[in-house]
Each structure stands twice: as C-alpha cells, then as structure tokens.
Amino acid sequence: MSARRYDAAILGGGIVGASAALELARSGLSVVLLERGVCGAGASGVNYGGVRRQGRPPEQLPLSLRAHAIWARLRDHIGIDGEYTRSGHLKLARSETEMAALLAYRHRIAGLGLDLDILSGNMLHDRFPMLGKDVVGASYCTDDGHANPRLVSPAFAYAAAKAGAEVRERTEVTDVERDGSGFVLQAGGDEIRADYLLNCAGPGAGLATRAFGETVPLSSGYPCLGVTEPLPPLFAFNLGVEGGGFYARQVARGNVVFGGGKGYALDDRSCRPDMKVLMQTLRAGTAVLPALRQTHVIRFWSGVEAYMPDRNPVLGPSATTPGLLHGFGFSGAGFQIGPAAGAVLADLVRDGRTATPIEAFSIQRFTQAGQTVPAVAHS
Ligand SMILES: Cc1cc2nc3c(=O)[nH]c(=O)nc-3n(C[C@H](O)[C@H](O)[C@H](O)COP(=O)(O)OP(=O)(O)OC[C@H]3O[C@@H](n4cnc5c(N)ncnc54)[C@H](O)[C@@H]3O)c2cc1C
C-alpha cells in the first residue's frame, strides 16, 4: 500500500490534466497524474482536431490566445509537432441570416486580439473555388488551424512523465476526501495523498464535485465524426458552417475528417455515432464542398464529452474546499484551449493566482456557494 504524498494529484489524463501535470512537473513540484484508462484516449484523443479561436465566446478568448501561443511552440513543449498546422479557419454562411451572424460575431470580439476577414461573392469563390454555390460568405481567421489529437493529447502526458510527473494509467480514482491537511485519494488499490487536487476528469468530474458539496449541471454529449478515403488535395484550411452542422479538414494523407451533430450513449463511458445524424451532416457537407459527393466514408466514430449548460468550462478554485481546483466541462471545444487550461491550473497551484482572466468559468455560477476559501500552504 503506497502512501506517498505529492504536491498535487491530478484526476484525469486528458489534455487538460496532462498539460497541468507537465507545467507543474517543470516547475519542480511533485505531481501524480491518475488516469482510469490510457492518457489522451478520451475526448482529448478522439476529437475532430480543430484548433480554432474563431467562434469562441469573448470570455474564452484570453484563454484561447494563451493556448495559441503554446500551440505555436508545440514541438518544443511536448516533443512532437502533432501534425499541427496553421492552415486558417473558414467559417461559412449559407444565407443572409448566417452572414449577419458572422458579422455580429466579428463586431462582438473586436479589440480582443482576433482578426477576422469577411469575404463574400466573387472574392470568396475566386479565392476558394472548391466551395459550393450555396455558400454566400465567410469569415476567415488566418492563424487558426488543426492538428492530430491522437498524437497531441497522449504526447502531453509523455512529456509530463519525462519532466518528472508520475503518470499512472489504468488507475481509477474511486474516492476522494480531505483529511484536514490535504487530500486522500483511493486509486487503483493505493492511497494517495496530496496538498492539491486538480479535478480534470472530463465527464467523470462529478466524483470530486459531489465529494466536496459542489453539485453542478454537468452532462455528457457525443459529437459525431467521420473520415473519407484519401482524396487529392481539395482544401488546406479548417472549415465550419455557421451554426455548427458541418465542419471538415483535410489531412496531409488526403483523408477528409468531418463532423456535425451528436450520437448517443451506450453507457457513461462509451457512445456511438447516429447514422441519421451523419446522413444530415453529409448532406450539409456536400452542399458546401461538392467534391465530397462521390467519395467513400471509411469510418465513423463519436466520443464522450463533458458539457456545461452555458458551454463554458468550470476552471478555477473550488468554492467549498481549499486546495481543490477544477478544470472540466469544456463543452465540445477544449482541445484548442486545453493546454492553456492546464497552464492556468498550474499557475493557481504554484502562485495562488493566474494572470489569465477566468472569472467567467467560476464554479460559483452554478453552486452559488459564494464563500471565500482560504489559500493552501505548500508543504
Ligand atoms: C468527437 C469530439 C470532437 C471534438 N472536437 C473538438 C475540436 O475540434 N476542437 C476542440 O477544441 N475541441 C473538440 N472537442 C472537445 C475536446 O476534445 C474536449 O473538450 C477536451 O479534450 C477535454 O479535455 P479534458 O482533459 O477536459 O477531458 P477528457 O479528454 O475527457 O479527459 C478526462 C480524463 O479523465 C479520466 N477520468 C475520468 N474519471 C476518472 C476517474 N475516476 N479516475 C481516473 N481517471 C478518470 C477519463 O478516462 C479521461 O481520460 C471534441 C470532443 C469530441 C468528443
């Protein structure tokens, strides 16, 4: 029976928990990353791979811009490039109403550090001839892009281990409690003690919120994805339609990865794509990219993702328990911001504060607990 004490125990080895582990280990703190499966095999590893700031609500942009800077030095940070490319992100309008939504979004985020070009008519179709005639306009963000989540997310955990974090896979945390001076976790038959507990468990985050009296409206959702056979080069950018019914990117091997709509749960840890939804997605997709009409789709899949009702994550200190930090509920868009969310959690452990604005992500917006929690002293 191990009873080792760590500065921080991290529940969940997705991109958020692994990023926090990496940052903390590099700061010289002792950290254990506890993952019930394999690191990066949940939503973080099966997602679409969109690395975009465009479309995020204004309150997410500071976090997203911090992540953008981490993505820029990905190879130095985690040891691989993860097929990350700054290909541009093109958001398409298929009606005047959707065009108005794109313009309204650009207005809403003006001055927040994200430049968007609005294109329409011949200017759009001359520049992007692969688009169907239903597309009336677009908003283009030059520096957004895409990456391979199956490579990137596990690499955060490998990098954390290399930096000195103890990474324990196939280790399910079954109980968490506070014993006065820190946290005690039951994990894979071991008892683990830590000054800080980082709750980065995605859809499993309810274990730690319930244990400390912070029940939140966390639910699971199951975005549907598919991939075509390899095709000749069609487009380099990451593409999405306003409203979210279709998004796509073409990888260097030629396959087009696409998504839209939601699948269904088999149980709390597994899910399947919904074929009717996928047919709707393909109809929307072939209208904006007619070249996809004659292609074979070779695989469909879905993944379990943690959602909050306002589609913002819970990121920051617990409202009830000193030393408990939450980072979950990324609501279908945590791959791009995950590296920065982990860095924010590491700031909070190391410095007791972060320069990145996270007030909008406070758990108190759901719990209304409202009390101030005393800071934790490092052991
Ligand atoms: C199909 C799909 C497409 C998506 N597309 C995009 C996209 O294009 N761009 C984007 O930005 N985002 C996208 N997302 C969202 C993004 O993948 C997630 O928001 C992000 O990966 C969340 O990271 P995480 O670390 O919080 O959670 P997760 O990756 O879910 O990791 C949480 C981990 O905690 C572990 N865990 C849970 N309970 C326990 C326990 N009791 N003990 C031990 N371990 C536990 C789980 O096994 C899991 O590995 C998509 C998501 C899905 C599902």
Side-chain angles (χ1 to χ4, degrees), residues 73-297:
R73 54 184 171 81
L74 195 69
R75 181 179 278 285
D76 287 344
H77 196 54
I78 61 169
I80 60 163
D81 68 12
E83 297 175 9
Y84 174 53
T85 165
R86 286 197 169 172
S87 57
H89 177 252
L90 196 60
K91 191 139 202 186
L92 305 179
R94 295 155 300 177
S95 65
E96 290 310 318
T97 310
E98 289 184 354
M99 193 66 190
L102 295 184
L103 287 164
Y105 177 74
R106 187 171 71 159
H107 183 67
R108 215 153 62 99
I109 54 112
L112 295 179
L114 192 62
D115 291 329
L116 301 176
D117 291 335
I118 300 289
L119 306 163
S120 60
N122 288 346
M123 203 204 295
L124 175 70
H125 286 276
D126 290 350
R127 184 161 168 194
F128 300 112
M130 72 295 289
L131 297 175
K133 59 179 174 24
D134 289 2
V135 179
V136 299
S139 168
Y140 189 55
C141 183
T142 323
D143 273 354
D144 279 354
H146 53 100
N148 186 335
R150 287 185 184 279
L151 300 178
V152 170
S153 296
F156 269 89
Y158 301 145
K162 204 169 161 196
E166 190 175 325
V167 177
R168 295 201 194 180
E169 295 188 315
R170 298 192 172 83
T171 303
E172 178 155 8
V173 175
T174 50
D175 190 45
V176 289
E177 57 182 15
R178 219 180 134 72
D179 74 349
S181 62
F183 293 90
V184 185
L185 284 71
Q186 303 304 324
D190 282 348
E191 187 174 279
I192 287 170
R193 291 176 176 268
D195 292 346
Y196 284 87
L197 173 61
L198 277 54
N199 180 19
C200 305
L207 175 78
T209 60
R210 281 191 302 275
F212 299 107
E214 295 185 290
T215 309
V216 289
L218 170 68
S219 64
S220 291
Y222 319 96
C224 283
L225 304 180
V227 61
T228 70
E229 62 188 320
L231 303 171
L234 271 176
F235 59 108
F237 47 84
N238 176 10
L239 163 161
V241 298
E242 169 59 26
F246 178 76
Y247 40 92
R249 65 189 183 94
Q250 187 170 26
V251 303
R253 291 172 296 279
N255 311 76
V256 175
V257 182
F258 65 91
K262 296 265 175 73
Y264 58 92
L266 295 180
D267 53 44
D268 65 343
R269 297 186 194 182
S270 51
C271 57
R272 290 283 181 272
D274 182 313
M275 285 304 146
K276 274 198 205 128
V277 169
L278 282 162
M279 289 308 122
Q280 286 164 12
T281 302
L282 285 168
R283 264 195 294 279
T286 50
V288 298
L289 283 175
L292 292 185
R293 270 187 199 135
Q294 306 301 329
T295 64
H296 289 102
V297 175

Side-chain angles (χ1 to χ4, degrees), residues 47-67:
N47 69 63
Y48 160 70
V51 184
R52 58 157 185 86
R53 297 159 297 164
Q54 175 166 217
R56 291 182 185 273
E59 63 274 16
Q60 281 192 19
L61 284 180
L63 187 64
S64 187
L65 293 176
R66 183 170 177 180

